[in-house]
Amino acid sequence: GPCGTCAVRHLSPLEAAGVSVVSVRDTAAAIIRVRNPNPAYGARDFVYELVFRDEGNREIARVSDHSFIYAGEQKEFVAIIPSLDARLIRGTPEISFQNPLWRAAEEFPRPAYQLRDQRTEALSTGENAASGIFVNTNSFLLPLVEIGAALYDASGALQSLSETAIRDIKPFEERFF
């Protein structure tokens, strides 16, 4: 077959599958949906950039950060933008992806895990909280796991987003979040 470097040159770019924004404690939070159309390659790292506009179509914020995506995956993840008031945003933010660090699926496999006892509860502050148990079903340590929760109302409208990170989850360990 073709050499690895040659194959990388012919990969399809990451695709934006949507961005939704919600206000969380006067801060903007976005749920980003990205699709990797490449079944044999994942991006161990890539840069994403969001551009937010106001009602006059003026740019009010530009935020960039890093993420990753496995081979053939469609992924949703949460981005919290503390410097931006979500009430000022109009329209859907523009999203772009740069500098994917492509790796063959064998070199960047998706780790196995389980989520159990997932719950949401209304807090006395009027906010909602998500919790559950994350289980590392691998025989190796997971140094960092980011868990995002999107809460929708009965009509399917996005109401709230939250994100938490748990570190150094040992093989077969269960951890509350």
Side-chain angles (χ1 to χ4, degrees):
C3 68
T5 313
C6 302
V8 167
R9 281 190 225 135
H10 294 40
L11 293 176
S12 297
L14 297 176
E15 300 171 356
V19 179
S20 301
V21 178
V22 67
S23 181
V24 178
R25 294 191 281 297
D26 299 325
T27 293
I31 186 163
I32 299 164
R33 294 170 200 85
V34 59
R35 189 172 88 77
N36 177 3
N38 304 294
Y41 281 83
R44 183 175 210 88
D45 183 71
F46 65 88
V47 175
Y48 66 88
E49 183 175 71
L50 292 166
V51 177
F52 299 90
R53 300 192 179 279
D54 66 10
E55 61 188 33
N57 204 32
R58 293 176 295 269
E59 183 178 312
I60 55 174
R62 183 177 292 259
V63 177
S64 63
D65 205 348
H66 293 258
S67 190
F68 63 90
I69 191 165
Y70 295 107
E73 181 180 35
Q74 179 155 326
K75 170 181 174 171
E76 293 184 344
F77 61 97
V78 174
I80 307 294
I81 304 102
S83 59
L84 181 59
D85 183 342
R87 296 171 293 196
L88 301 176
I89 299 169
R90 296 295 178 267
T92 302
E94 300 158 30
I95 187 162
S96 61
F97 306 106
Q98 295 98 30
N99 305 324
L101 185 58
W102 297 112
R103 293 290 179 262
E106 306 81 49
E107 296 172 34
F108 186 49
R110 175 184 214 142
Y113 65 90
Q114 291 177 350
L115 289 175
R116 291 203 327 250
D117 300 333
Q118 298 170 67
R119 295 191 175 112
T120 57
E121 65 177 296
L123 304 176
S124 59
T125 60
E127 296 174 347
N128 294 303
S131 63
I133 296 172
F134 180 91
V135 183
N136 177 2
T137 57
N138 301 285
S139 59
F140 51 87
L141 177 115
L142 294 176
L144 175 65
V145 173
E146 295 176 336
I147 300 170
L151 303 173
Y152 297 88
D153 66 15
S155 69
L158 182 62
Q159 295 298 302
S160 182
L161 292 172
S162 69
E163 182 180 49
T164 190
I166 46 181
R167 298 184 182 281
D168 298 326
I169 305 166
K170 296 179 181 116
F172 311 109
E173 180 182 2
E174 298 183 5
R175 188 88 59 90
F176 179 79
F177 66 89

